[in-house]
Amino acid sequence: MADEFPADTELTHILVVEDLRRAGDFYQRVVGAELVREYGGTSAVLRLSGTWLLLVTGGGPTADKPDVTFSPPADPGRVSHAMTFRVDDCRAAYDTLGARGAEFLTPPVDHGPEIRCFFRDPDGHLLELSEAR
């Protein structure tokens, strides 16, 4: 299809964080991301589950986004973006990440065709573990 991105295109998720070191530590130590590079203490590129994750500190408009301000979630109870990790065994992943410091909203819940549970990063971004059966 002519409208598709080129085959070598990769998707990067951008998360705005309050404290770059705290967020970077969480994603590396708890979730298992690999630090690829940092930029001047305001952003870090991580490799995570076959994709790129860019952590950036907040900031005002720039020439290429003149009406946009980046800021961490103001209310973790209201979500406009979440990331799901598809895992083979939700309960085992829950135990592993919990032992590394992840704080889950609930233990895994069995919904029949899916077992899932949710946790947040230090800035309140919602993350999900999901096991499809």
Side-chain angles (χ1 to χ4, degrees), residues 17-79:
V17 300
E18 188 71 36
D19 182 318
L20 185 63
R21 293 210 187 282
R22 179 184 71 180
D25 178 63
F26 174 85
Y27 280 98
Q28 291 173 77
R29 186 181 53 77
V30 176
V31 184
E34 172 194 356
L35 177 65
V36 176
R37 65 182 157 271
E38 286 190 45
Y39 297 100
T42 60
S43 63
V45 178
L46 302 160
R47 191 81 173 144
L48 175 63
S49 297
T51 191
W52 297 101
L53 180 62
L54 177 60
L55 304 177
V56 300
T57 55
T62 60
D64 55 347
K65 52 179 182 52
D67 297 329
V68 177
T69 297
F70 276 27
S71 62
D75 178 0
R78 298 180 63 87
V79 176

Side-chain angles (χ1 to χ4, degrees), residues 13-15 53 78-83 124-127:
H13 297 273
I14 299 174
L15 295 180
L53 180 62
R78 298 180 63 87
V79 176
S80 65
H81 176 270
M83 290 188 292
H125 296 104
L126 191 64
L127 307 169

Side-chain angles (χ1 to χ4, degrees), residues 94-114:
Y94 168 86
D95 290 341
T96 297
L97 271 60
R100 294 179 189 167
E103 296 180 16
F104 287 85
L105 283 75
T106 68
V109 174
D110 189 334
H111 292 278
E114 177 185 39

